[in-house]
Amino acid sequence: MAVPKKKMARPATRTRRAAWKATWPQLVTVKSDGKDVVVPRRLKKAVEMGLFEPRNEFQG
């Protein structure tokens, strides 16, 4: 495991943390129960197989 040689300064830590940004999930359209549903790409296969039923937040 990497171990820092010196304590990192507070401004440097905050700058590093502030540079990280979350990204929106990629949305795809899938047919579920005869309706077109917009779901995140990673859930597409589960919706097609019937393992996951999307709620109203994902419907387009």
Side-chain angles (χ1 to χ4, degrees):
M1 188 170 105
V3 179
K5 290 188 175 186
K6 293 186 178 182
K7 182 176 180 179
M8 196 171 185
R10 181 179 280 177
T13 302
R14 290 184 175 162
T15 300
R16 178 179 45 80
R17 287 182 183 157
W20 184 86
K21 299 285 184 241
T23 58
W24 288 98
Q26 297 175 349
L27 300 176
V28 293
T29 304
V30 182
K31 280 216 183 259
S32 174
D33 298 330
K35 295 183 276 184
D36 284 341
V37 181
V38 178
V39 295
R41 185 181 52 84
R42 67 174 183 237
L43 294 177
K44 178 184 176 190
K45 197 170 206 175
V47 172
E48 289 173 346
M49 294 173 63
L51 300 173
F52 178 76
E53 188 171 324
R55 296 187 306 224
N56 292 336
E57 289 93 1
F58 295 126
Q59 291 182 358

